[in-house]
Amino acid sequence: MTDNQDLPGIVVTGVSGRMGQMLVKTIRDSERARLVGAVERTGHDWIGRDLGQAMGGAATGVIVTDDPLEAFAKAQAVIDFTAPAATVEFAALAAQARAVHVIGTTGMEETHLAKVKAAARHAVIVRAGNMSLGVNLLTQLTKKVAAALDADWDIEIVEAHHRHKVDAPSGTALMLGEAAAEGRRLNFPDIRDAAREGITGARQRGHIGFSAIRGGDVVGEHDVIFAADGERIVLRHLATDRSIFARGALKAALWGQDKKPGEYDMLDVLGL
């Protein structure tokens, strides 16, 4: 952990969660940033405790708070993998503090996204369904393959995650579906088939189907299947360590330090 006051200070929201604790470790191990704040929901038993001790280790001097604005005011970036309603609140507060807001939250609806977009008029927001380099490369590949193949090739996206994940399809699966639709110059909501059950009838030509698997401790697996008569193309990404998302989020937080207000994604961060 570094105490260099010249380095960008970062606040992590939802610090008690799996991603929150991974983000804390990644920032503390980094020589390019410092951890200056930790936020949890009101009533959580970590509130008022030293973050390091709450995580079962040595004291860090960072006290967990339920006052996000106070924490954001002393930070240059906020990294947020929480829930849609909380993320919308954090977006407004981070914009008020002029801090870069890195959003890895999934399951956001149009009403949430509209509020995030409004906050991005005043501050840098980097939002992505997945922060890993590999997934963002997969997104680009999906777009290119979809553009090269016509509707004789059906597109199905299959994703697997741990038993605790609350949204489906995953944010990454939806990101891949959007990339495929963009490759074919189609409106994604019009061709999205999120689930199938019962007597559904034949598959609709040109639609993009989704399947979600939940179980065990699966970090994240995504297959984009292009299926035609007699042949299939399968693009696959397997995540085996949650730290890849934390490293990507930290990279985004640092990248955003000298950028103009606006909404960006990991393709911008990675220059893809």
Side-chain angles (χ1 to χ4, degrees), residues 8-14 19 23 27 72 75-83 86-88 90-95 98-106 108 116 119-120 123-132 244-257 259 262-266 269:
I10 299 181
V11 171
V12 174
T13 63
M19 268 307 305
L23 286 162
I27 296 165
F72 296 177
Q76 284 70 57
V78 176
I79 302 181
D80 173 22
F81 285 70
T82 54
T87 290
V88 167
F90 295 148
L93 297 177
R98 297 299 187 266
V100 174
H101 187 191
V102 178
I103 299 175
T105 303
T106 59
M108 300 181 74
V116 169
V124 173
I125 293 179
V126 181
R127 184 179 67 85
N130 194 297
M131 298 284 175
S132 84
I244 64 172
F245 310 127
R247 292 195 299 269
L250 177 57
K251 184 179 181 72
L254 297 173
W255 175 88
Q257 292 303 308
K259 301 302 181 294
E263 190 171 5
Y264 302 89
D265 60 23
M266 284 301 291
V269 174

Side-chain angles (χ1 to χ4, degrees), residues 6-204:
D6 294 330
L7 296 179
I10 299 181
V11 171
V12 174
T13 63
V15 289
S16 70
R18 288 183 299 277
M19 268 307 305
Q21 294 190 52
M22 181 59 70
L23 286 162
V24 168
K25 182 180 186 304
T26 299
I27 296 165
R28 292 181 64 193
D29 289 346
S30 171
E31 296 182 350
R32 301 180 62 201
R34 57 196 175 93
L35 185 69
V36 298
V39 175
E40 256 303 342
R41 65 185 183 278
T42 299
H44 194 280
D45 60 8
W46 284 21
I47 301 299
R49 297 178 61 191
D50 181 278
L51 175 61
Q53 293 176 336
M55 290 176 60
T60 63
V62 174
I63 304 301
V64 181
T65 181
D66 60 359
D67 185 345
L69 183 56
E70 179 186 19
F72 296 177
K74 56 188 176 184
Q76 284 70 57
V78 176
I79 302 181
D80 173 22
F81 285 70
T82 54
T87 290
V88 167
E89 177 186 350
F90 295 148
L93 297 177
Q96 185 176 334
R98 297 299 187 266
V100 174
H101 187 191
V102 178
I103 299 175
T105 303
T106 59
M108 300 181 74
E109 299 177 354
E110 289 302 319
T111 54
H112 301 123
L113 297 176
K115 292 177 181 178
V116 169
K117 188 177 185 68
R121 292 199 295 265
H122 307 287
V124 173
I125 293 179
V126 181
R127 184 179 67 85
N130 194 297
M131 298 284 175
S132 84
L133 171 60
V135 162
N136 282 278
L137 287 171
L138 176 62
T139 301
Q140 292 297 83
L141 288 170
T142 297
K143 180 179 176 181
K144 290 184 177 181
V145 174
L149 302 175
D150 63 21
D152 287 339
W153 292 77
D154 300 322
I155 303 175
E156 292 284 315
I157 298 173
V158 181
E159 55 98 345
H161 283 87
H162 53 86
R163 64 169 67 94
H164 301 291
K165 187 167 179 61
V166 298
D167 58 310
S170 69
T172 300
L174 294 174
M175 184 170 72
L176 293 167
E178 288 170 353
E182 186 177 351
R184 288 188 171 175
R185 298 184 179 181
L186 297 172
N187 185 32
F188 177 57
D190 293 341
I191 57 173
R192 169 185 167 181
D193 289 337
R196 300 188 183 98
E197 182 179 357
I199 307 301
T200 61
R203 188 187 197 283
Q204 292 196 57

